[in-house]
Amino acid sequence: MSRSRRIRSEAVAAWHSFLRRRTAVFFTFFFPVILVVIFGALVRTQPADSGLFAEPAAYYIPGYLATVVLFTPLSRVGSEIARHRDDNRFEKLATTPLTRTEWLVAHTLVNTAIIGLASLLILGLVLLLTTATIPVSGSVAMLIPFIVLAVVLFCGFGAVLGRVADSQDGVIAASNTIALPLLFLSDTFITLDQLPGWFGPLVELSPLTYFARGVRAITYPPAAGEPYLGNLLILTVLAVGFFVAGAYAIPRTD
């Protein structure tokens, strides 16, 4: 069996496994939707005010997208590794030609498809329920590599969490503990001028920051003149690094 067929077989199995978990399917799409509805449509802080959500609606598009590119890969990949370990599946996989890298590629492809659909849903809701508009230009297509690279990065991160955590519950707790601060402290929902001055440099350490800034340069008209290729390059390097670390962290045997 060729490498592409091995990856495709594992990806198909992972996709059907996801669809069988109806609760997981529901909340994968429900969580970002309810976030858009609450903060985008119901909480309508005027741009002239100060505080949370005081910026125009389009400013927060990166934050809404970040909810799925961050939470979904961390929890899903980490949980899959913990589940495989608990069920002794890695011992069985060790007897097959499927490598750790191929396993992670297959699950990353599935997460990319899931998050791609969720991102389209989020963008549609933001444009429908809020006053946000997205500049119509060729650069909008650059949203695709930003989303794909972020998924690759956090799938690798999730694999590391799955290796470190000792159970599925531990993975969920660890992923939420890491993801929640990153979601709000990565130049997404909270602007830099709302944070203490000493905290500003720490924002640069978050990989999600470069996703948010790149997406904002594409989707937020006042930031349209800002270069996004630099953020894309940094995100690419981080994605490769985290993916390699994640592939190495996947247990070969239990």
Side-chain angles (χ1 to χ4, degrees), residues 106-149:
H107 286 263
T108 300
L109 289 173
V110 172
N111 277 278
T112 301
I114 294 169
I115 293 165
L117 293 173
S119 297
L120 286 175
L121 177 61
I122 290 171
L123 287 174
L125 285 174
V126 169
L127 296 177
L128 180 65
L129 299 178
T130 73
T131 58
T133 57
I134 296 178
V136 179
S137 65
S139 62
V140 173
M142 294 302 295
L143 285 175
I144 297 175
F146 271 103
I147 292 173
V148 171
L149 288 170

Side-chain angles (χ1 to χ4, degrees), residues 25-35 121:
V25 174
F26 176 77
F27 282 103
T28 295
F29 294 96
F30 177 76
F31 178 67
V33 167
I34 198 66
L35 199 67
L121 177 61

